[in-house]
């Protein structure tokens, strides 16, 4: 009997070992690379750095968290970041829903495939290329100003526009999937029972696809929450949570405080996910 | 269901942590070394050169180590590679802070450090003393640049002076009139250029405000913009907060700044001469000036990493970069005063050294070179504590809001 055959025979008799081996790689990945990194981040948040040499001093203290809660500027930045994330999510949902609705319910199967590809095409281009294109377009003598006679210039509005553009495909695709699963017979039944289009939409389509919208919002919301590049490129003098983290790592070399600030989006996401779990949206991911 | 329980557990731990933090804590400030009491880690300089190792990783300001990829005519890395066989890999950085954290990775052999980075690198043990007798071109360098507080400790040299210059006031000649000669155009709340001002994105920019206050508010008693006590520091921070609404952008990427100036999204700001040169070369009407209040500036030093496995190549680079030919090219491309007087006869523009006051020690002394702020006031005061760089950094986040 060959070695391979004897090993496979052995594994056949030990289903638990088989399962363990099968799951060990993903579990290692999840445990070490992901949760381990999060744990390391959280531990680092309690240390501090020697401000002159930049060396990390491994003494436990809550000073970083105290600074985070005491200084108004971090509250302002958190609120600003949340505001941008909510705005981007709402804008994306409003734009994405009609597009996804058309794709799922009106387009022919062939057109559907073409449209899905078209929605995904922007994902092939580099993030930086897209963000810098918006920088050029929103510039004082750029395309936006030429077309509409005015441009929002660099600032929060530009940041929201650029991020909404960047994350739109992540909103369209889950909503499309959700609408695709919605049986046409339900819409027809609503019509047969005398429901006008708006009533059908409100009472049948929207409730059934709401989890899909929420699933999309997890992407747009979390991606915006962590972003720091777009706001650097088109955000003018503004900063988001990601910039504070970046500045503390890249500029101030204060890794512990960066870790402290980085826990803010993690906590926000945990709260958001906990709220979202009730809608059943996580089953849609 | 198990997943959600784990999720809740993590959330619980996080909340417990943050709740504890909210309870408050006594702040224990660590004492940091610096000033006269500052003893760098014991590191030995190289005693003799060996065979070139065949590779060199350079960490440099943009424009300091050009290999022809930005402009085929601007290249002093390739001749070095051909002469020494050291294959060069260049990484550029936008701010000194970025440079310091990149150096901590230990992946770079040499760095062009400004004064606000060099002391931190020395104190952190990231760079080692340099045996200047192994750098033949060192002998030619202007004496007034050698063994300065930012490139030596207790008269031990930590590198080779390379060039110096000022952070100049830059403006669009077609949009800004009359031509400015004071930083007030960037700080005055009634400035006609509101929303079109572009400022440098680094905590060290606080020194620019302090320099302005030094001349406009003498009652604050600022003697050195890098030595600020509580009151002086607060005044500088307040000035920058007042400037914040005027600012369209803070720049750390000089190409982004150049683009903003070119498109007219910014019309006045603080810039390096290299940005001005680049923007002019693209056809935008941009000029620079050294305002009457003086300016902050830089005096840069090439330093050798303590962890470098390519020490011989590193020394060869140090010698190459301050050689008359290379020094002339860098000085002219970047727009700064070269450190080697012999470079002055080799610049394409015969008046380059005159324009940049290269050998003028008196002029050089008017520029406030970037220096790391430390608790010990470097202006000599002993009765007060100055704000250290950590506090400058926190204030910078607060200024940007």
């Amino acid at each position: 009997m060959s070695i391979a055959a004897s090993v496979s025979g052995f594994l056949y008799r030990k289903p638990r070992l088989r399962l363990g081996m099968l799951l060990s790689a993903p579990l290692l990945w999840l445990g070490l690379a992901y949760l381990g990194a999060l744990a390391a981040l959280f531990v680092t948040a309690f240390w501090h750095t020697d401000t002159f040499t930049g060396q990390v001093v491994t003494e436990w203290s809550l000073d970083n968290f105290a600074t985070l809660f005491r200084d108004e500027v971090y509250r302002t930045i958190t609120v600003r970041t949340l505001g941008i994330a909510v705005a981007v999510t709402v804008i994306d949902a409003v734009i994405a829903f009609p597009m996804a609705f058309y794709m799922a319910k009106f387009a022919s199967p062939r057109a559907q495939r073409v449209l899905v590809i078209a929605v995904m095409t922007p994902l092939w281009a580099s993030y930086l290329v897209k963000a810098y294109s918006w920088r050029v377009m929103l510039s004082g003598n750029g395309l936006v100003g030429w077309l509409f006679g005015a441009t929002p210039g660099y600032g929060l509005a530009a940041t929201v526009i650029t991020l909404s553009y960047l994350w739109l495909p992540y909103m369209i695709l889950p909503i499309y999937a959700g609408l695709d699963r919605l049986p046409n017979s339900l819409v027809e039944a609503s019509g047969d029972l005398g429901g006008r289009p708006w009533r059908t939409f409100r009472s049948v389509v929207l409730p059934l696809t709401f989890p899909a919208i929420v699933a999309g919002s997890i992407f747009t919301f979390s991606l915006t929450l962590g972003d720091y590049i777009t706001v650097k490129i088109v955000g003018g003098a503004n900063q988001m949570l990601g910039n504070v983290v970046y500045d503390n790592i890249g500029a101030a070399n204060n890794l512990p405080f960066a870790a402290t600030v980085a826990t803010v989006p993690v906590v926000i996401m945990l709260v958001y996910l906990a709220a979202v779990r009730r809608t059943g949206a996580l089953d849609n991911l | 269901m198990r997943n959600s329980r784990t999720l809740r557990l993590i959330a619980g731990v996080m909340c417990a942590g943050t709740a504890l933090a909210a309870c408050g804590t006594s702040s224990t400030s660590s004492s940091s070394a610096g000033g006269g009491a500052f003893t760098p880690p014991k590191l030995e300089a190289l005693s003799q050169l060996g065979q070139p190792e065949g590779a060199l990783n350079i960490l440099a300001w943009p424009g300091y180590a050009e290999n022809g990829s930005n402009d085929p005519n601007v290249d002093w890395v390739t001749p070095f590679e051909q002469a020494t066989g050291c294959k060069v890999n260049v990484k550029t950085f936008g701010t000194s802070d970025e440079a310091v954290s990149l150096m901590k990775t230990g992946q770079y052999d040499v760095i062009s450090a400004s004064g606000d980075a060099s002391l931190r690198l020395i104190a952190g043990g990231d760079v080692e003393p340099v045996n200047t007798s192994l750098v033949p071109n060192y002998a030619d360098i202007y004496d007034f640049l050698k063994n300065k507080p930012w490139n030596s400790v207790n008269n031990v040299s930590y590198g080779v002076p390379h060039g110096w210059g000022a952070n100049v006031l830059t403006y669009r000649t077609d949009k800004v009139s009359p031509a400015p000669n004071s930083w007030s155009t960037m700080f005055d709340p009634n400035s006609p250029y509101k929303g079109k001002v572009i400022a440098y994105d680094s905590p060290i920019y606080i020194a620019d405000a302090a320099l302005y206050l030094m001349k406009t508010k003498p009652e604050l008693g600022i003697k050195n913009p890098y030595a600020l006590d509580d009151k002086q520091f607060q005044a500088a921070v307040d000035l920058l907060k007042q400037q914040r609404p005027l600012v369209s952008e803070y720049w750390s990427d000089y190409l982004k700044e150049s683009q903003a100036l070119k498109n007219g999204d910014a019309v006045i700001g603080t810039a390096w001469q290299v940005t001005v040169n680049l923007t002019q070369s693209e056809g935008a009407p941009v000029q620079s000036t050294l305002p009457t209040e003086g300016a902050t500036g830089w005096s840069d030093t090439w330093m050798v990493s303590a962890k470098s496995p390519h020490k011989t190549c590193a020394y060869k680079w140090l010698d190459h970069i301050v050689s008359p030919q290379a020094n002339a090219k860098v000085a002219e491309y970047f727009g700064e005063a070269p450190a080697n007087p012999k470079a002055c006869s080799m610049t394409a523009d015969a008046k380059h050294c005159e324009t940049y006051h290269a050998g003028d020690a008196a002029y050089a002394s008017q520029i406030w070179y970037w220096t790391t702020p430390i608790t010990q006031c470097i202006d000599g005061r002993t009765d007060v504590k100055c704000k250290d760089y950590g506090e400058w950094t926190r204030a910078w986040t607060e200024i940007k809001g």
Side-chain angles (χ1 to χ4, degrees), chain A residues 185-206:
Chain A
S185 53
L186 284 180
V187 180
E188 284 155 14
S190 170
D192 292 344
L193 290 167
R196 291 173 188 281
W198 175 240
R199 178 67 202 244
T200 305
F201 177 75
R202 220 165 33 123
S203 304
V204 180
V205 178
L206 202 57

Side-chain angles (χ1 to χ4, degrees), chain A residues 65 135 140 232 239 250-252, chain B residues 21 97-98 249 256 259 265 397:
Chain A
F65 286 98
R135 183 178 164 84
K232 259 230 177 291
Q239 52 185 349
Chain B
D97 312 298
E98 200 185 331
E249 276 188 289
K256 209 176 95 179
Q259 194 206 19
D265 295 313
T397 303

Side-chain angles (χ1 to χ4, degrees), chain A residues 50-53 55 62-63 65 73 80 135-136 139-141 154 232 236-239 247 249-253 277, chain B residues 21 25-26 32-33 97-98 101 104 120 123-124 201 244 248-249 256 259 263 265 374 388 390 393 397 400-401:
Chain A
D50 182 322
T51 46
F52 186 55
T53 61
Q55 239 73 291
L62 293 171
D63 288 357
F65 286 98
V73 64
R80 180 186 302 139
R135 183 178 164 84
V136 175
S139 149
N141 49 11
Y154 303 140
K232 259 230 177 291
N238 290 295
Q239 52 185 349
D247 285 349
I249 295 170
N253 203 15
R277 199 172 58 88
Chain B
T25 157
S26 67
S32 49
D97 312 298
E98 200 185 331
S101 50
K104 293 210 177 296
R120 280 185 273 164
D201 190 1
R244 172 68 175 71
S248 71
E249 276 188 289
K256 209 176 95 179
Q259 194 206 19
N263 287 337
D265 295 313
I374 51 181
D388 68 14
T393 311
T397 303
K400 289 202 285 180

Side-chain angles (χ1 to χ4, degrees), chain B residues 251-266:
Chain B
W251 66 276
S252 55
D253 173 353
Y254 78 118
L255 293 172
K256 209 176 95 179
E257 187 193 25
S258 173
Q259 194 206 19
L261 285 167
K262 201 175 108 191
N263 287 337
D265 295 313

